[in-house]
Amino acid sequence: KYFNYLMYTTIPNGTGNQSSSGAGNSVAKNYVFKQSHDLNVKDIDNFVPISGQNTSSNGRNYNAILYTWFGGTYDGQSYKIQELKINSKSFTVGLFGVTVGANLKNAILYSTQNAIITRSTENTDGAGAYALGGLVGIAYGYNNETNAKIENCAIAGYRIIDDSKNQQTLGEANIGGLIGVSNVNVDRCSAVVDIEINCKHEGANGRFTKAIWGNFIRVGGISGAVQDEISNSYSGGSIKVGEDTLKETYSYENAKYSDFV
């Protein structure tokens, strides 16, 4: 009742498995939110991503349980959201953590003070794949809905920083100026930001990673990973990779399967 703008899964049953009956608040996909004025949120120290996910993939399984997601329409009406600051451990970081079948349009994230949107974890935090973007961490499509798109959105003046230190399981990190992972159509969007990759995936015991397929860090000006179409869009700014990340290697020579599990 406190987050009626979100869609969500049903409560897990007694066996610990998730019910497959679908979204518990399916009406939320019909909600339309319109921004009516510029917002300067410089006095908010740490914004919590809308429907950020605090659980990741289940070990070596590619299935990830989504507990909540935004599935409606957000129309920024070309008003600004200025000086947004995020520092989150979520596996999906952005203004929106996860959207599914959502339509985001006319949203503008703007900073004159190099505001930072970052994912920051310690090596003692839980393992998992993650996604980081200024507007959305992960934007999923849903049943081929034509409404699922991101259009006429922009971000400028921000720093997008991956400062993750937790181990990976699937071995995937996706960082983009606007979107971490895009599974929807993106049209007429722009991102002019500075992206900094300072991640180092090492467990609390000092072992490099649990990602048995290797570590993959995908970075893009608009989107880190793209599974649909991006058109009529552009990116600018810079991408900087830190020294610790560049040193992050694992020798497969004489390695045993037990080294990775």
Side-chain angles (χ1 to χ4, degrees):
K1 65 180 181 180
Y2 299 111
F3 305 97
N4 60 3
Y5 52 89
L6 296 179
M7 300 173 70
Y8 53 86
T9 58
T10 52
I11 299 173
N13 60 36
T15 65
N17 295 320
Q18 197 72 20
S19 169
S20 60
S21 59
N25 186 25
S26 59
V27 69
K29 69 184 176 71
N30 299 319
Y31 288 173
V32 177
F33 300 87
K34 292 186 178 181
Q35 187 173 335
S36 59
H37 55 278
D38 290 333
L39 293 170
N40 191 324
V41 293
K42 62 182 178 62
D43 295 328
I44 298 178
D45 288 334
N46 190 17
F47 180 83
V48 177
I50 299 170
S51 72
Q53 301 295 307
N54 291 321
T55 58
S56 185
S57 54
N58 181 19
R60 295 167 55 216
N61 192 329
Y62 269 84
N63 294 325
I65 297 174
L66 291 181
Y67 288 96
T68 62
W69 60 92
F70 181 80
T73 295
Y74 182 84
D75 184 353
Q77 298 200 115
S78 297
Y79 290 108
K80 295 189 293 291
I81 298 175
Q82 194 167 341
E83 313 308 339
L84 179 70
K85 297 186 287 291
I86 299 176
N87 186 349
S88 176
K89 293 183 179 182
S90 173
F91 289 100
T92 55
V93 178
L95 174 63
F96 294 88
V98 173
T99 64
V100 181
N103 179 208
L104 307 180
K105 58 184 179 181
N106 309 318
I108 299 175
L109 297 175
Y110 179 66
S111 175
T112 62
Q113 301 175 13
N114 296 316
I116 295 174
I117 297 175
T118 183
R119 182 176 193 269
S120 178
T121 63
E122 300 298 329
N123 63 352
T124 53
D125 290 319
Y130 58 89
L132 165 65
L135 181 64
V136 191
I138 298 180
Y140 286 122
Y142 183 74
N143 287 346
N144 297 317
E145 282 191 15
T146 57
N147 191 53
K149 62 180 69 172
I150 298 175
E151 52 187 333
N152 198 35
C153 293
I155 181 171
Y158 281 83
R159 294 170 63 198
I160 309 297
I161 300 176
D162 178 15
D163 197 26
S164 304
K165 299 297 186 289
N166 63 295
Q167 285 184 314
Q168 293 182 341
T169 47
L170 297 181
E172 295 181 358
N174 302 280
I175 301 94
L178 192 70
I179 312 159
V181 177
S182 175
N183 185 234
V184 300
N185 182 274
V186 177
D187 184 40
R188 292 170 293 126
C189 291
S190 65
V192 182
V193 299
D194 292 322
I195 300 175
E196 299 176 25
I197 309 300
N198 299 319
C199 55
K200 185 173 175 61
H201 307 106
E202 183 178 83
N205 59 5
R207 295 173 68 181
F208 169 60
T209 184
K210 289 185 178 179
I212 66 173
W213 291 285
N215 278 0
F216 301 96
I217 304 171
R218 299 181 177 92
V219 187
I222 295 288
S223 183
V226 180
Q227 299 172 337
D228 205 298
E229 181 177 304
I230 296 179
S231 57
N232 307 310
S233 301
Y234 71 90
S235 66
S238 65
I239 297 174
K240 179 181 178 181
V241 181
E243 187 174 336
D244 283 347
T245 304
L246 292 173
K247 289 180 178 178
E248 186 173 78
T249 60
Y250 191 101
S251 173
Y252 283 85
E253 185 178 356
N254 300 320
K256 303 184 296 295
Y257 175 81
S258 59
D259 291 337
F260 299 92
V261 296

